[in-house]
Amino acid sequence: MNTADKLWGSERCQLFKDIADKVWFRILRKHKLGLNDKEVAITNDIIADILEYRITHLKNFDVYARDGYLESVYGNDIDLFVEIYPDEYKWFALQAKLLKKNNKYNSLRDSSDGDYQWDKLYHLEEISGCTPYYLLYNGVENYKHPGKDLCNKEFNESQFGCSLVEPREIETLATKIGRTGRYINPKFEDIHPKLAQPWRVLVCCQQEVKNIELYSFEEIKDSLTDLKIITPIFKDVDSGMDKIDDENKNIDFDENPENRIFAASKEAGWNPQIRIVVSLSPSQE
């Protein structure tokens, strides 16, 4: 069996496919009831799915988070490190956004410190060699799409429950101005299927590594000065969901300036609330 087939047949690939399906039907249900979901709540469930997998299957996922993690004060920055070769990890910086019940993305132009989120992603990519994406949470009634992903593998519409879009595509759409002189919030169909990929491609497909920085497990761990590993026991997960640690609202970026991940995150203003490390073999913890 070649590498591509091994990745496609792996349990971590199946996990990402299952998560996307769950998110799609979760949001679809909420929209049918006239409700909007919350990005932080969906991220919460994704982490729970990963921890459950870690308990019942392989311990090849490690999850790190801030104290009071998954609280909205920390935003929706997510780091995903995927092991490509033994002890060589590719860094994906993900900015999560939610499709609202009006079938639009209403928060793509969010900014902080005068910078749009896509500007921070561009800068982080430039100085770190990471690969940035917007991670869109979706669910659309009566939408059908039989397609093929970057692996040339077939998928249906529910795999767009978690979809990836390049920041420049988001910037182009989010900065369009209508006839009234106001910005136009993009609709689901403005992005899917043409500009999006199912997020499973991050772990199910062979990754391009030419001219890409790769990071060791130790380097990832050493960058975690403001994140803590989440013990994969559900009572611990539940007890942390509603907790907010005021002391961690202001992040001290002066603890490990020599670490490449830490230094790049600081310079770009990238503050991940969650860091997920996906290894080829069981956890090195």
Side-chain angles (χ1 to χ4, degrees), residues 123-174:
H123 189 39
L124 185 67
E125 178 182 23
E126 180 182 6
I127 60 179
S128 72
C130 75
T131 301
Y133 287 111
Y134 277 76
L135 172 61
L136 305 182
Y137 297 146
N138 307 294
V140 179
E141 189 173 9
N142 298 323
Y143 176 81
K144 301 295 181 183
H145 179 71
K148 287 190 176 182
D149 63 20
L150 292 176
C151 311
N152 201 33
K153 299 292 187 180
E154 294 181 352
F155 71 94
N156 64 21
E157 62 281 351
S158 64
Q159 284 298 290
F160 279 146
C162 297
S163 64
L164 301 173
V165 185
E166 294 183 358
R168 295 199 183 279
E169 302 289 1
I170 294 294
E171 180 185 8
T172 298
L173 289 170

Side-chain angles (χ1 to χ4, degrees), residues 22-37 139-141:
K22 287 182 180 180
V23 171
W24 178 269
F25 291 110
R26 170 192 175 127
I27 294 175
L28 184 59
R29 173 175 173 265
K30 293 288 183 70
H31 288 182
K32 284 182 178 180
L33 296 171
L35 302 172
N36 280 318
D37 214 319
V140 179
E141 189 173 9

Side-chain angles (χ1 to χ4, degrees), residues 59-254:
K59 290 181 171 58
N60 61 334
F61 278 77
D62 290 297
V63 182
Y64 303 83
R66 303 192 192 286
D67 282 346
Y69 72 103
L70 304 180
E71 296 288 352
S72 59
V73 67
Y74 298 119
N76 286 282
D77 301 345
I78 302 170
D79 278 344
L80 178 69
F81 285 86
V82 179
E83 190 173 23
I84 308 300
Y85 306 116
D87 202 31
E88 292 186 294
Y89 291 78
K90 185 174 179 178
W91 180 5
F92 297 96
L94 308 178
Q95 176 66 56
K97 294 293 180 182
L98 173 68
L99 183 71
K100 299 295 186 179
K101 63 183 180 181
N102 63 359
N103 198 41
K104 295 181 179 181
Y105 304 96
N106 298 336
S107 61
L108 295 182
R109 288 182 300 278
D110 284 355
S111 62
S112 61
D113 301 324
D115 294 324
Y116 288 110
Q117 290 167 335
W118 52 71
D119 290 324
K120 292 186 176 183
L121 290 171
Y122 298 152
H123 189 39
L124 185 67
E125 178 182 23
E126 180 182 6
I127 60 179
S128 72
C130 75
T131 301
Y133 287 111
Y134 277 76
L135 172 61
L136 305 182
Y137 297 146
N138 307 294
V140 179
E141 189 173 9
N142 298 323
Y143 176 81
K144 301 295 181 183
H145 179 71
K148 287 190 176 182
D149 63 20
L150 292 176
C151 311
N152 201 33
K153 299 292 187 180
E154 294 181 352
F155 71 94
N156 64 21
E157 62 281 351
S158 64
Q159 284 298 290
F160 279 146
C162 297
S163 64
L164 301 173
V165 185
E166 294 183 358
R168 295 199 183 279
E169 302 289 1
I170 294 294
E171 180 185 8
T172 298
L173 289 170
T175 53
K176 285 185 176 180
I177 297 177
R179 295 179 181 178
T180 63
R182 296 181 179 180
Y183 288 114
I184 301 172
N185 290 326
K187 297 180 180 179
F188 174 84
E189 291 81 7
D190 294 330
I191 298 173
H192 303 81
K194 185 177 179 180
L195 304 177
Q197 283 287 312
W199 86 317
R200 71 187 194 188
V201 301
L202 300 180
V203 297
C204 298
C205 298
Q206 285 185 284
Q207 294 295 327
E208 175 61 50
V209 295
K210 186 178 181 180
N211 299 323
I212 294 293
E213 289 288 335
L214 298 176
Y215 297 85
S216 70
F217 188 81
E218 276 304 310
E219 196 166 11
I220 297 169
K221 285 182 64 179
D222 287 345
S223 72
L224 298 170
T225 56
D226 58 333
L227 291 93
K228 299 177 180 179
I229 193 163
I230 302 173
T231 304
I233 301 175
F234 286 120
K235 65 177 182 178
D236 292 342
V237 176
D238 292 339
S239 66
M241 291 303 172
D242 299 321
K243 174 186 173 185
I244 189 72
D245 187 341
D246 291 333
E247 293 181 359
N248 284 285
K249 288 183 181 180
N250 297 315
I251 302 160
D252 182 1
F253 278 108
D254 296 323

